[in-house]
Amino acid sequence: MRCTQIFEAVVNAVEPGETIVLDVTHSFRSIPLFVFLAGTYLQKSRNVKIGGVYYGAYERDRPRSPIFDLTPTLKFIDWLTATDKFLDTGSAKDLGQLLTNIQRDFYKQGRQKREPVSPRQLGSFGKRIQAISESIELVRPLKLMEETALLDKISYEDLQEDVGAFAQPFSLLLDKIQADYHQFALPNPRDASSQETLRKQVDLLEWYIDKSLSAQAILLGRELTISVLCTALKFDYLGKTERQDVERGLNSLVDWRKDTQKPRPLALEGLVTMIPDLDLDWLSKFWSHLRDVRNDLAHTEMRSDSLSAAKMSEFVKKDLLKNIKMLMTILP
């Protein structure tokens, strides 16, 4: 019987939502592996609950053979799935949930009364990386800087001890998560210099693009363009009125470049006066393209002339970061 046939036989024998128990005692050669994989596939794809995985170790000279509970090995599948998600998307929400569950269950079961060592940092670290992941997914760059800066307040030595004792699979990812997220750390970003905050946002934009998070990259890129120009004009880049003025100037620039024989709009004068070295032709083309892509994204294709996903992705990969970095050169 081929492995695919074994896999299909197990999968087809189980209905969605059922609870199953896997006994891998009486199995031939590699069959236990295929059955185990089929069971974990059902767990993820059909909401099947695995009540347990057991192996009876037959010993001829013993009246009763020991039975080993292999159910805890299922946790490795959860770690694998959560790790894969982090590496692909940068989201550590699932990893954070696993860590918080470990600490919660430890104290809920009263194990602190029976065991010499108790987890101290897993819960707080897990909640922190979950909050960081939400800020990344929902494009909250300032909150992301605050959350990542708070990671430094968690004792790394204590965290390593907790991970080694209670979450060994996470030990392979701890340093990578710290390094990936720490690059965005900035305490009190609203009070920091706008140049420093904007550089962190450019790092985040590059990270979005590397992770193929195109929607987030488009949204951030559009706001970054306005923020950089606000800063160059010595405006409050978080001020609603100031941002509207800059946006109005950019839109006027796009309209004016279609017919430069017309008088230059008043909304454009601030950009020209305050930033004399600005390449208006380049900025007009970039803003026009970025504006169209961002609006198309926001309107979820509910337009007669909507852009294709391929065109939007191409813009993000080829043009967005390059142009944002070029725009950053106008800052002192």
Side-chain angles (χ1 to χ4, degrees):
M1 202 175 192
R2 293 182 301 177
C3 62
T4 53
Q5 293 175 307
I6 297 171
F7 186 87
E8 289 175 6
V10 175
V11 169
N12 293 333
V14 181
E15 295 296 323
E18 287 188 332
T19 298
I20 61 174
V21 175
L22 301 177
D23 180 353
V24 295
T25 305
H26 300 290
S27 302
F28 183 66
R29 291 182 180 171
S30 58
I31 290 178
L33 175 61
F34 299 136
V35 171
F36 182 79
L37 291 174
T40 55
Y41 175 78
L42 287 167
Q43 189 180 37
K44 298 295 182 182
S45 64
R46 293 190 182 177
N47 196 31
V48 168
K49 181 180 179 181
I50 300 180
V53 182
Y54 300 99
Y55 174 75
Y58 171 71
E59 296 181 13
R60 185 176 58 181
D61 298 329
R62 294 183 62 174
R64 173 175 287 186
S65 299
I67 297 176
F68 294 102
D69 184 359
L70 304 180
T71 310
T73 60
L74 292 170
K75 283 295 181 184
F76 286 106
I77 303 299
D78 294 333
W79 283 106
L80 175 62
T81 303
T83 299
D84 189 56
K85 183 176 181 180
F86 169 70
L87 294 176
D88 281 350
T89 70
S91 173
K93 287 176 73 173
D94 291 349
L95 287 169
Q97 189 63 59
L98 286 170
L99 293 174
T100 55
N101 287 349
I102 289 172
Q103 182 155 330
R104 181 202 64 198
D105 293 345
F106 183 91
Y107 288 97
K108 189 175 180 180
Q109 296 163 6
R111 292 169 57 191
Q112 72 276 15
K113 301 174 183 177
R114 305 188 304 269
E115 299 189 21
V117 180
S118 301
R120 293 168 291 173
Q121 301 290 352
L122 292 185
S124 56
F125 186 80
K127 290 177 182 177
R128 184 67 57 212
I129 62 176
Q130 284 180 297
I132 288 170
S133 298
E134 288 179 353
S135 295
I136 289 172
E137 291 172 10
L138 297 174
V139 198
R140 312 280 93 183
L142 302 182
K143 190 64 175 176
L144 171 64
M145 295 175 202
E146 293 176 353
E147 293 286 355
T148 48
L150 290 173
L151 283 180
D152 292 338
K153 295 188 176 181
I154 298 176
S155 168
Y156 186 68
E157 291 74 18
D158 289 346
L159 181 60
Q160 280 185 311
E161 289 181 12
D162 281 4
V163 168
F166 304 100
Q168 189 61 41
F170 189 69
S171 62
L172 301 177
L173 288 174
L174 179 57
D175 288 341
K176 179 165 179 55
I177 284 181
Q178 293 274 49
D180 267 27
Y181 289 163
H182 188 73
Q183 62 180 310
F184 308 125
L186 183 63
N188 305 313
R190 294 177 185 273
D191 298 327
S193 72
S194 54
Q195 288 91 335
E196 186 177 12
T197 305
L198 292 178
R199 283 193 291 270
K200 292 286 185 182
Q201 292 188 47
V202 174
D203 291 340
L204 177 60
L205 176 64
E206 187 166 7
W207 195 81
Y208 278 145
I209 295 171
D210 287 343
K211 297 292 184 183
S212 298
L213 298 173
S214 297
Q216 287 90 338
I218 291 167
L219 295 174
L220 180 60
R222 191 264 190 194
E223 300 308 318
L224 254 175
T225 301
I226 295 175
S227 297
V228 172
L229 290 170
C230 279
T231 301
L233 293 168
K234 296 181 171 55
F235 291 170
D236 175 9
Y237 78 97
L238 294 175
K240 181 178 179 180
T241 301
E242 289 86 342
R243 296 185 71 83
Q244 288 175 338
D245 288 344
V246 169
E247 182 180 353
R248 194 177 300 113
L250 287 168
N251 291 334
S252 297
L253 170 62
V254 173
D255 293 338
W256 178 66
R257 292 302 296 178
K258 295 175 183 176
D259 184 4
T260 55
Q261 298 304 313
K262 294 181 179 179
R264 207 156 57 196
L266 288 176
L268 181 56
E269 288 303 318
L271 289 175
V272 176
T273 304
M274 297 291 290
I275 318 174
D277 296 331
L278 196 58
D279 185 336
L280 295 181
D281 186 51
W282 163 78
L283 182 59
S284 173
K285 291 177 182 176
F286 172 53
W287 176 252
S288 177
H289 198 176
L290 176 57
R291 181 183 63 180
D292 289 346
V293 171
R294 182 265 183 188
N295 290 344
D296 203 281
L297 172 67
H299 291 294
T300 64
E301 208 178 13
M302 297 298 106
R303 307 164 82 181
S304 59
D305 58 345
S306 61
L307 297 169
S308 68
K311 285 287 185 184
M312 297 171 78
S313 295
E314 182 182 19
F315 168 74
V316 170
K317 293 175 182 177
K318 291 186 177 181
D319 298 325
L320 183 55
L321 183 63
K322 175 183 67 177
N323 283 290
I324 290 293
K325 285 186 173 181
M326 188 179 300
L327 185 63
M328 287 286 289
T329 61
I330 69 174
L331 296 181

